Amino acid sequence: MKDSFDMARFAMLLKRDLWDNWKKNLWRFVGIYCIMTLISIVLMWHAENHFWVYPDHNFYNYVMKVFTFFAFLIPILWCWALSSVMSPMDTREKRIRYLMLPASRMEKFVSRLLIIVIGFWVMITVAVLCMELTRRLFVVLFDYRDCFSGNPFPVIVSHFSDNFLGGRNPLSVFLVILLGWYSSCFLVGGNVWYHRPFLKTLLSLAALSFVAGMILVQLFRRNIDYVNEHLSTVEQVTTVFQVLSVIFVCLILLNMYLSYRLFKRSHLMHS
């Protein structure tokens, strides 16, 4: 049963994991919702004094500020969620109880990954919707109908479409893939460290980024003439980013494989 996969056991495992952690997940949701709502209301109050000049333009600026804040907050929360993949094994009692579950290692790994990925985005989506409902309640209570009664979601979708989907280029694709690789490292870190995996992975990536940056700077300085000669056209730069994108996609797949191997190894170490 070590590497087998049975849907009935898998469903029971998902149900048990969700039932055992519903309070923790609820508090996480409340925390995310409170942070988002607080920032949204603070930005709304801050922008209220400037709406008498150009209301439509200022509403757009307000929505972009909220969007920018979420663009920083959500990736951080996403990496933190991925690093918690091994949270059922962060204490001795929880570890023993989790290892004794009648399920294969594949079922346990997939269930944890499914809960983290789907559960996280469901939580974020519900938190954003609840935040918007709360914001609209404040608009009514404080009589901000003339300034903040608009719907921010079409503005965000239009901005995202115009600046990414409409102007898609190899650099944008590479940055998205690079972010995917970066977040996948937290999945590996969650399988390496059971205590404070987010902080330890973040420090490790910071050290790795520093060393890699120093090496790249030295290589660039030593080969400046070669770079100017072979990266002088748009086609050459595009090719470089396409090659880098393929490399980092392979690294993402490698991180997924390493995560599963480390997950299996944890069962052997503690069995």
Side-chain angles (χ1 to χ4, degrees):
M1 193 178 72
K2 289 184 177 181
D3 296 310
S4 61
F5 196 93
D6 182 79
M7 286 303 300
R9 288 199 309 262
F10 179 70
M12 291 297 296
L13 188 63
L14 279 177
K15 182 179 179 180
R16 185 185 186 281
D17 199 324
L18 292 173
W19 179 256
D20 288 348
N21 296 290
W22 72 270
K23 288 185 179 179
K24 181 185 295 185
N25 293 330
L26 179 61
W27 281 112
R28 288 174 179 174
F29 166 77
V30 171
I32 294 173
Y33 160 73
C34 290
I35 292 174
M36 289 182 171
T37 303
L38 179 62
I39 294 300
S40 176
I41 293 174
V42 168
L43 291 176
M44 188 168 61
W45 280 342
H46 181 266
E48 187 266 338
N49 295 326
H50 306 283
F51 272 84
W52 62 274
V53 183
Y54 301 108
D56 295 337
H57 179 69
N58 285 325
F59 178 74
Y60 176 83
N61 289 338
Y62 158 74
V63 174
M64 287 301 99
K65 288 180 180 179
V66 175
F67 173 76
T68 302
F69 173 76
F70 288 170
F72 283 99
L73 176 65
I74 292 178
I76 294 175
L77 295 175
W78 171 237
C79 293
W80 172 76
L82 287 176
S83 67
S84 64
V85 63
M86 294 294 284
S87 59
M89 299 180 68
D90 56 2
T91 65
R92 177 181 173 82
E93 293 76 13
K94 292 169 63 177
R95 187 180 306 137
I96 295 174
R97 188 165 62 248
Y98 191 70
L99 291 175
M100 294 298 292
L101 290 177
S104 67
R105 293 175 294 192
M106 174 66 76
E107 292 162 358
K108 293 178 182 178
F109 180 76
V110 175
S111 68
R112 288 299 304 161
L113 200 60
L114 198 64
I115 288 174
I116 288 174
V117 175
I118 297 181
F120 172 81
W121 290 110
V122 169
M123 187 180 297
I124 289 294
T125 302
V126 176
V128 170
L129 293 176
C130 291
M131 176 211 72
E132 178 59 16
L133 291 176
T134 307
R135 186 191 70 84
R136 289 180 179 273
L137 178 62
F138 270 79
V139 168
V140 175
L141 291 177
F142 292 95
D143 197 19
Y144 286 162
R145 294 181 182 90
D146 295 336
C147 303
F148 296 98
S149 59
N151 188 352
F153 296 117
V155 178
I156 292 175
V157 172
S158 176
H159 175 78
F160 183 80
S161 177
D162 293 341
N163 291 275
F164 179 73
L165 298 180
R168 185 179 300 171
N169 56 72
L171 177 59
S172 299
V173 175
F174 170 70
L175 291 177
V176 172
I177 294 175
L178 183 63
L179 179 61
W181 170 79
Y182 190 82
S183 60
S184 69
C185 291
F186 284 87
L187 183 62
V188 177
N191 284 280
V192 175
W193 299 291
Y194 299 161
H195 301 285
R196 298 183 178 85
F198 176 77
L199 180 61
K200 293 177 181 178
T201 305
L202 185 63
L203 293 176
S204 300
L205 285 174
L208 178 63
S209 300
F210 177 78
V211 173
M214 295 294 294
I215 294 175
L216 289 176
V217 168
Q218 293 299 322
L219 289 176
F220 180 79
R221 289 177 177 176
R222 294 180 181 180
N223 299 276
I224 185 66
D225 295 333
Y226 180 86
V227 172
N228 291 332
E229 180 181 354
H230 292 84
L231 294 179
S232 57
T233 65
V234 175
E235 290 77 11
Q236 291 173 334
V237 175
T238 299
T239 302
V240 170
F241 280 117
Q242 289 174 343
V243 172
L244 289 175
S245 298
V246 173
I247 292 174
F248 275 93
V249 167
C250 295
L251 291 177
I252 292 174
L253 297 176
L254 177 61
N255 281 347
M256 295 290 294
Y257 173 75
L258 289 176
S259 299
Y260 179 59
R261 295 294 299 181
L262 289 169
F263 188 85
K264 291 175 62 177
R265 181 171 173 267
S266 67
H267 285 66
L268 295 176
M269 291 173 59
H270 301 293
S271 60

